[in-house]
Amino acid sequence: MTDRDGASRGTFAEFTPAAAHDYDAWFDRPWGAHAWAVELAAVDDALPDRPDQTVVEVGCGTGRLIAHLTKRAATVVGVDSSPAMLAVATGRAPGRLVCADGRRLPFPDGVADVAITIATLEFADAAAVLEEMARITRPGGRIIALTLNPVSPWGLLDRPTRRAPFSTAAFLTRSELRRLGSRHGRARLAGRLFTSAQPGLRRLEPIATVVGAGVPWFGAVQVLVVDRPIRRCGRDLVRFSRPGNTAVG
């Protein structure tokens, strides 16, 4: 997520244990805790309210979301390519983790009700990862992808693209994200996180969120929700969750 320490996602597989712990510590710092709370709320809003569901997170890192999702789903599995990251995650979600490449997920087709990824597509082959997420998500299931937006208060004020890991990231525009998502179902977008790490600004998040509802493209976090179609009699139909369970308008 925004301003996380360490190397780019492309080198996470080579992370040392110390680097993984440093990465994880970012979430306990003031800006990290704030940004993570906004991301977590976005996931909660987009996640269907079904306690019997199976959820797979691609790029689970140190397992913070996996630990949270165990309260919302019967089966939760986290995937990451970094053994060091997974070693930290094991303390939070033992027995729920798989070391694998997001472009080649070791799961059968349609195994998940929901597939989630946060701040991974910018550091990977976005099309390939979304293709795999769609493959493992059952017809009528949901894909949730949170990506970072440098054209936002965070991007313009904190200037993350001038330093690693963001200097090597391939950020997706909203149109690119929507286009990639639309390949796999009905795609919708929302914006979250309308402040930056500048001192005092994060306290304005509630007000900024109200304003941001009219300019979602200005959110540091772009939330893509894709509802997978159901095939019936050769036609693609889309099943929607109840309106209260979606993150987007």
Side-chain angles (χ1 to χ4, degrees), residues 192-227:
R192 294 291 184 99
L193 191 60
F194 293 94
T195 57
S196 80
Q198 299 298 310
L201 281 185
R202 63 178 176 270
R203 283 181 257 170
L204 301 176
E205 192 70 48
I207 297 173
T209 298
V210 173
V211 176
V215 285
W217 54 86
F218 211 43
V221 175
Q222 294 296 304
V223 183
L224 171 70
V225 176
V226 180
D227 287 308

Side-chain angles (χ1 to χ4, degrees), residues 2-3 31 153-161 163 195-198:
T2 43
D3 209 22
W31 171 243
W154 164 70
L156 299 175
L157 296 176
D158 300 347
R159 299 180 178 181
T161 57
R163 61 185 181 274
T195 57
S196 80
Q198 299 298 310

